[in-house]
Amino acid sequence: MSLVLGTAVATADDQPLPPGPPLHHVQYTVFAETPFRNSEIYYRAVDPPNWADYSHNPYEFSPNVEADVGPNQMWTMDVMLANPDQWAMVTAGSLDSPKRPNFHCVIAVDGNVVVTNEGPKGALCSIRNW
């Protein structure tokens, strides 16, 4: 029987990462007063590293989905953001449709509603004044 003993060597990969900024639970909600199919919704999914990266390609940080919404059919999305005061944003619209479903958007951060908005053909909710 043989026994092999060795000394463990720590590498940079073994070191814990320094903690990042605390993340906040952000919930986006969109609905309309009358049913509307395929509404265009954009929302901020992640914090951009800086304004330059965001302005170079905002769609990299803002996914687009199409969703059916109505008074009893809400679209919601939960994301985690380090700086929601800077980056939390959701917008919904009816594009070129002549319909006016009166969209509503809501942003809640850590369980508290912080902004709402509405509009006949679209709505934009953002904590930051863009």
Side-chain angles (χ1 to χ4, degrees), residues 67-87:
D68 298 343
V69 295
N72 298 312
Q73 189 173 11
M74 295 184 180
W75 173 89
T76 61
M77 178 62 65
D78 295 302
V79 301
M80 300 299 288
L81 297 177
N83 191 354
D85 289 344
Q86 180 76 15
W87 298 113

Side-chain angles (χ1 to χ4, degrees), residues 8 19 27 34 42 45 69 73 77-78 84 86 92 94 117-119:
Q27 184 176 64
T34 60
Y42 288 88
V69 295
Q73 189 173 11
M77 178 62 65
D78 295 302
Q86 180 76 15
S94 56
N117 200 2
E118 67 178 278

Side-chain angles (χ1 to χ4, degrees), residues 36-55:
F36 190 82
R37 295 183 53 79
N38 298 323
S39 61
E40 286 286 324
I41 300 172
Y42 288 88
Y43 62 96
R44 190 87 63 245
V46 297
D47 293 87
N50 55 55
W51 182 256
D53 287 347
Y54 171 76
S55 64

Side-chain angles (χ1 to χ4, degrees), residues 88 90 105-109 112-117 124-127:
V90 64
C105 59
V106 179
I107 297 178
V109 177
N112 298 305
V113 172
V114 295
V115 65
T116 64
N117 200 2
L124 166 66
C125 283
S126 173
I127 300 171

